[in-house]
Amino acid sequence: MVKKLVPPQATIRRLSIYLRYLNGLDVDGVKVISSHDLARRLALNPAQVRKDLAYFGEFGKRGVGYSVKKLRDHIVKILGLQKMRKIAIIGAGGRLGTALALYTGFERRNFKVCALFDKDPAIVGNEVEGIGNILSIGDLSKVVKEKGIEILILTIPAAAIKEIYDPVMLSGVKAVLNFAPFKMLSTEEVDVHNVDLTTELESLSYRLSLNESGISPLDKAPATEED
Amino acid sequence: MVKKLVPPQATIRRLSIYLRYLNGLDVDGVKVISSHDLARRLALNPAQVRKDLAYFGEFGKRGVGYSVKKLRDHIVKILGLQKMRKIAIIGAGGRLGTALALYTGFERRNFKVCALFDKDPAIVGNEVEGIGNILSIGDLSKVVKEKGIEILILTIPAAAIKEIYDPVMLSGVKAVLNFAPFKMLSTEEVDVHNVDLTTELESLSYRLSLNESGISPLDKAPATEED
DNA sequence: AAAACTTTGTGATATAATGCTCATAGTTAA
DNA sequence: TTAACTATGAGCATTATATCACAAAGTTTT
């Protein structure tokens, strides 16, 4: 217990996956799970599961495994999910923005959509059930401060970036989840994470065309699943 | 020019990003770009850009850089985007499904939404403008074959997985883009890629709480910790 | 046409992530 | 209470990915 280096980003993402699976186990009344079972279910290596967890402490019991409830609570703490995170959506008038604004799954994980913004004056002022009126980008900075919003979700079209970029980066928000089709860079102040639907489809396309040319994209054994 | 190993998945994803940026450059009338400029714009290392491209051939000209048009065309070929890919959406009645069904950006990149499915009998038969009626999951396999659909996008709620899994995996489709909040595993026949919105938010949350505890997520300093 | 630049492509090197192995701690059964 | 199991945690090996650094190729300047 001396070193404990910075965990890889991949570890953090897996923790989130573990967490969801543990929640399911808890609902099903499962009390304890081993790294082996967890790994098998998620198509990972058991050693990797243990290593992921060991970055943050010793949560397991030798000869037994991990307590589902305890491990879940630890991961909640590690990911900072015990505290509710307020988010706002920019581009709330668009289809993706609307879908995310009305998605109920976030609250279950302790994220709350507190405000909606759009640059289109035609829809500013429209009420969205359960959240409030769509606000103008001009009020972004003010509202972020007033409401204590920590995360912005961007669902704007590519063309809108020019006028949105500065207001977003200067809004006082700490993190941005960007769905817009351009890469936004993180700065000292704002941690940007880009999710690009087109890129996801295009990687699939690459693998499809590999197959077409007769080369398997999966050079490793396929992930098998039973249960 | 002897070895040419399998390019990492990360390279493929970056190619997609390069492609979009190159399209923008072309529209702006830029003829040539160097790895250095490309890298700077996308916050990457120039050597990485060159290596990414070198996996697939020698596209650059020393002392000059890369021809924007030529490089773009090469990447289109590498990613298999010259051929139109037909996709279908399962869970078309949900908000995310609807948003994706009506999203016009896919066609611009040569993906076409050709069919919509939902398990809810109440909405099966409803017409969606520009695509057609919402179909029953029971017809999935038939329609996939008839229309030559290659990719399925899953936007179903977690609870629906039990009844959707087998029909999807046996539909004859080659790839799945799964937005549902559970991890689906790839098989020999079906290449699954999972995109998990909650995981994205939770990684951001982790980094927010790192900041709160005074440690920068960008630091490389070891984080010693006990419990 | 030679010298001074520029930029690619790649071998060598560094860093990071994953997987293997086993001593150790804990449990269960006799 | 001892022996046979089980599963963690951690050191080490391996693999994968990213970066450095430079020779080779091409361009521009003098």
Side-chain angles (χ1 to χ4, degrees), chain B residues 162-189:
Chain B
K162 277 276 154 57
E163 41 191 319
I164 297 291
Y165 184 83
D166 281 347
V168 165
M169 298 309 269
L170 300 173
S171 65
V173 98
K174 297 176 201 158
V176 170
L177 185 54
N178 175 39
F179 287 91
F182 45 76
K183 185 173 175 184
M184 272 181 72
L185 310 182
S186 292
T187 65
E188 193 71 33
E189 295 81 29

Short mmCIF file of all heavy atoms in Angstrom, two decimals, chain B residues 162-189:
data_model
loop_
_atom_site.label_atom_id
_atom_site.label_comp_id
_atom_site.label_asym_id
_atom_site.label_seq_id
_atom_site.Cartn_x
_atom_site.Cartn_y
_atom_site.Cartn_z
N LYS B 162 -33.75 -7.95 -22.39
CA LYS B 162 -34.05 -9.39 -22.38
C LYS B 162 -34.75 -9.83 -23.66
O LYS B 162 -34.39 -10.83 -24.25
CB LYS B 162 -34.90 -9.76 -21.16
CG LYS B 162 -34.08 -9.98 -19.89
CD LYS B 162 -33.52 -11.40 -19.82
CE LYS B 162 -32.25 -11.49 -18.97
NZ LYS B 162 -32.45 -11.00 -17.60
N GLU B 163 -35.74 -9.05 -24.09
CA GLU B 163 -36.51 -9.49 -25.26
C GLU B 163 -35.89 -9.00 -26.58
O GLU B 163 -36.25 -9.49 -27.64
CB GLU B 163 -37.96 -9.04 -25.17
CG GLU B 163 -38.15 -7.64 -24.64
CD GLU B 163 -39.64 -7.35 -24.32
OE1 GLU B 163 -40.50 -7.75 -25.12
OE2 GLU B 163 -39.90 -6.70 -23.29
N ILE B 164 -34.96 -8.06 -26.48
CA ILE B 164 -34.39 -7.49 -27.70
C ILE B 164 -33.10 -8.20 -28.11
O ILE B 164 -32.78 -8.31 -29.29
CB ILE B 164 -34.09 -5.98 -27.48
CG1 ILE B 164 -35.38 -5.22 -27.20
CG2 ILE B 164 -33.37 -5.39 -28.67
CD1 ILE B 164 -36.31 -5.12 -28.38
N TYR B 165 -32.39 -8.71 -27.12
CA TYR B 165 -31.04 -9.20 -27.38
C TYR B 165 -30.98 -10.26 -28.49
O TYR B 165 -30.27 -10.07 -29.48
CB TYR B 165 -30.43 -9.77 -26.09
CG TYR B 165 -29.00 -10.21 -26.26
CD1 TYR B 165 -27.96 -9.29 -26.19
CD2 TYR B 165 -28.68 -11.54 -26.55
CE1 TYR B 165 -26.65 -9.68 -26.37
CE2 TYR B 165 -27.37 -11.94 -26.74
CZ TYR B 165 -26.36 -11.02 -26.64
OH TYR B 165 -25.07 -11.40 -26.85
N ASP B 166 -31.74 -11.32 -28.33
CA ASP B 166 -31.67 -12.39 -29.33
C ASP B 166 -32.10 -11.91 -30.72
O ASP B 166 -31.37 -12.17 -31.69
CB ASP B 166 -32.50 -13.59 -28.88
CG ASP B 166 -31.75 -14.43 -27.85
OD1 ASP B 166 -30.53 -14.21 -27.69
OD2 ASP B 166 -32.37 -15.29 -27.20
N PRO B 167 -33.24 -11.26 -30.84
CA PRO B 167 -33.62 -10.77 -32.17
C PRO B 167 -32.52 -9.93 -32.83
O PRO B 167 -32.27 -10.06 -34.03
CB PRO B 167 -34.87 -9.93 -31.90
CG PRO B 167 -35.45 -10.53 -30.68
CD PRO B 167 -34.29 -11.00 -29.85
N VAL B 168 -31.86 -9.09 -32.04
CA VAL B 168 -30.81 -8.24 -32.60
C VAL B 168 -29.62 -9.07 -33.07
O VAL B 168 -29.15 -8.93 -34.21
CB VAL B 168 -30.35 -7.18 -31.58
CG1 VAL B 168 -29.04 -6.55 -32.01
CG2 VAL B 168 -31.42 -6.12 -31.41
N MET B 169 -29.15 -9.95 -32.20
CA MET B 169 -27.94 -10.69 -32.52
C MET B 169 -28.18 -11.69 -33.66
O MET B 169 -27.23 -12.07 -34.36
CB MET B 169 -27.42 -11.42 -31.28
CG MET B 169 -27.01 -10.49 -30.14
SD MET B 169 -25.88 -9.15 -30.64
CE MET B 169 -24.29 -9.93 -30.37
N LEU B 170 -29.42 -12.11 -33.83
CA LEU B 170 -29.72 -13.09 -34.87
C LEU B 170 -30.30 -12.45 -36.13
O LEU B 170 -30.67 -13.14 -37.06
CB LEU B 170 -30.72 -14.13 -34.32
CG LEU B 170 -30.23 -14.92 -33.10
CD1 LEU B 170 -31.33 -15.78 -32.53
CD2 LEU B 170 -29.01 -15.77 -33.45
N SER B 171 -30.36 -11.13 -36.14
CA SER B 171 -31.05 -10.45 -37.24
C SER B 171 -30.28 -10.52 -38.55
O SER B 171 -30.84 -10.29 -39.61
CB SER B 171 -31.27 -8.98 -36.88
OG SER B 171 -30.02 -8.34 -36.75
N GLY B 172 -28.99 -10.81 -38.46
CA GLY B 172 -28.18 -10.83 -39.66
C GLY B 172 -27.42 -9.53 -39.88
O GLY B 172 -26.68 -9.37 -40.85
N VAL B 173 -27.59 -8.62 -38.94
CA VAL B 173 -26.90 -7.35 -39.02
C VAL B 173 -25.43 -7.55 -38.65
O VAL B 173 -25.08 -8.50 -37.95
CB VAL B 173 -27.63 -6.37 -38.07
CG1 VAL B 173 -26.93 -6.28 -36.74
CG2 VAL B 173 -27.83 -5.04 -38.73
N LYS B 174 -24.54 -6.68 -39.13
CA LYS B 174 -23.11 -6.90 -38.89
C LYS B 174 -22.56 -6.09 -37.74
O LYS B 174 -21.51 -6.40 -37.18
CB LYS B 174 -22.33 -6.54 -40.16
CG LYS B 174 -22.67 -7.42 -41.34
CD LYS B 174 -21.92 -6.92 -42.56
CE LYS B 174 -22.56 -7.39 -43.86
NZ LYS B 174 -22.17 -6.52 -44.98
N ALA B 175 -23.24 -4.99 -37.41
CA ALA B 175 -22.72 -4.11 -36.37
C ALA B 175 -23.86 -3.46 -35.60
O ALA B 175 -24.95 -3.25 -36.15
CB ALA B 175 -21.84 -3.03 -36.99
N VAL B 176 -23.58 -3.19 -34.34
CA VAL B 176 -24.58 -2.58 -33.47
C VAL B 176 -23.95 -1.40 -32.74
O VAL B 176 -22.84 -1.51 -32.22
CB VAL B 176 -25.12 -3.59 -32.43
CG1 VAL B 176 -25.96 -2.89 -31.37
CG2 VAL B 176 -25.92 -4.68 -33.11
N LEU B 177 -24.66 -0.29 -32.73
CA LEU B 177 -24.24 0.85 -31.92
C LEU B 177 -25.25 0.95 -30.79
O LEU B 177 -26.40 1.31 -31.00
CB LEU B 177 -24.23 2.11 -32.79
CG LEU B 177 -23.72 3.40 -32.14
CD1 LEU B 177 -22.35 3.21 -31.54
CD2 LEU B 177 -23.69 4.51 -33.18
N ASN B 178 -24.80 0.61 -29.60
CA ASN B 178 -25.71 0.46 -28.47
C ASN B 178 -25.66 1.65 -27.51
O ASN B 178 -24.66 1.87 -26.85
CB ASN B 178 -25.37 -0.82 -27.70
CG ASN B 178 -26.21 -0.96 -26.45
OD1 ASN B 178 -27.39 -0.65 -26.46
ND2 ASN B 178 -25.58 -1.43 -25.38
N PHE B 179 -26.75 2.39 -27.44
CA PHE B 179 -26.86 3.51 -26.52
C PHE B 179 -27.57 3.11 -25.23
O PHE B 179 -27.69 3.94 -24.33
CB PHE B 179 -27.63 4.66 -27.16
CG PHE B 179 -26.88 5.40 -28.21
CD1 PHE B 179 -26.96 5.02 -29.54
CD2 PHE B 179 -26.06 6.46 -27.86
CE1 PHE B 179 -26.26 5.70 -30.51
CE2 PHE B 179 -25.35 7.15 -28.83
CZ PHE B 179 -25.45 6.77 -30.16
N ALA B 180 -28.04 1.90 -25.17
CA ALA B 180 -28.79 1.47 -23.98
C ALA B 180 -27.83 1.29 -22.80
O ALA B 180 -26.66 0.96 -22.99
CB ALA B 180 -29.52 0.17 -24.27
N PRO B 181 -28.33 1.52 -21.60
CA PRO B 181 -27.45 1.53 -20.43
C PRO B 181 -27.10 0.14 -19.92
O PRO B 181 -27.36 -0.20 -18.78
CB PRO B 181 -28.26 2.31 -19.40
CG PRO B 181 -29.68 2.08 -19.77
CD PRO B 181 -29.71 1.90 -21.26
N PHE B 182 -26.52 -0.67 -20.77
CA PHE B 182 -25.91 -1.93 -20.35
C PHE B 182 -24.88 -2.28 -21.39
O PHE B 182 -24.97 -1.83 -22.53
CB PHE B 182 -26.96 -3.04 -20.22
CG PHE B 182 -27.91 -3.09 -21.37
CD1 PHE B 182 -27.52 -3.63 -22.59
CD2 PHE B 182 -29.18 -2.56 -21.24
CE1 PHE B 182 -28.38 -3.64 -23.66
CE2 PHE B 182 -30.04 -2.57 -22.32
CZ PHE B 182 -29.66 -3.11 -23.52
N LYS B 183 -23.92 -3.06 -20.99
CA LYS B 183 -22.84 -3.38 -21.91
C LYS B 183 -23.19 -4.61 -22.72
O LYS B 183 -23.37 -5.69 -22.18
CB LYS B 183 -21.55 -3.62 -21.13
CG LYS B 183 -20.35 -3.85 -22.02
CD LYS B 183 -19.06 -3.90 -21.22
CE LYS B 183 -17.89 -4.25 -22.13
NZ LYS B 183 -16.64 -4.39 -21.35
N MET B 184 -23.27 -4.45 -24.02
CA MET B 184 -23.48 -5.60 -24.90
C MET B 184 -22.13 -6.04 -25.42
O MET B 184 -21.28 -5.22 -25.75
CB MET B 184 -24.38 -5.21 -26.07
CG MET B 184 -25.84 -5.37 -25.80
SD MET B 184 -26.82 -4.92 -27.24
CE MET B 184 -26.50 -6.28 -28.35
N LEU B 185 -21.93 -7.35 -25.51
CA LEU B 185 -20.64 -7.86 -25.94
C LEU B 185 -20.66 -8.21 -27.42
O LEU B 185 -21.66 -8.69 -27.94
CB LEU B 185 -20.29 -9.10 -25.12
CG LEU B 185 -20.42 -8.93 -23.59
CD1 LEU B 185 -20.00 -10.20 -22.89
CD2 LEU B 185 -19.61 -7.75 -23.12
N SER B 186 -19.53 -7.99 -28.07
CA SER B 186 -19.40 -8.38 -29.46
C SER B 186 -19.32 -9.90 -29.58
O SER B 186 -18.90 -10.59 -28.66
CB SER B 186 -18.13 -7.78 -30.07
OG SER B 186 -18.25 -6.40 -30.18
N THR B 187 -19.74 -10.41 -30.71
CA THR B 187 -19.56 -11.83 -31.00
C THR B 187 -18.82 -11.94 -32.32
O THR B 187 -18.48 -10.94 -32.95
CB THR B 187 -20.92 -12.54 -31.15
OG1 THR B 187 -21.60 -12.01 -32.28
CG2 THR B 187 -21.78 -12.36 -29.91
N GLU B 188 -18.61 -13.17 -32.73
CA GLU B 188 -17.95 -13.43 -34.00
C GLU B 188 -18.72 -12.74 -35.14
O GLU B 188 -18.13 -12.18 -36.06
CB GLU B 188 -17.93 -14.95 -34.23
CG GLU B 188 -17.02 -15.41 -35.34
CD GLU B 188 -15.55 -15.26 -34.97
OE1 GLU B 188 -15.23 -15.43 -33.76
OE2 GLU B 188 -14.75 -14.96 -35.86
N GLU B 189 -20.04 -12.78 -35.03
CA GLU B 189 -20.89 -12.31 -36.14
C GLU B 189 -21.21 -10.82 -36.05
O GLU B 189 -21.37 -10.15 -37.07
CB GLU B 189 -22.22 -13.08 -36.16
CG GLU B 189 -22.09 -14.58 -36.45
CD GLU B 189 -21.69 -15.36 -35.21
OE1 GLU B 189 -22.03 -14.92 -34.10
OE2 GLU B 189 -21.00 -16.38 -35.35
#
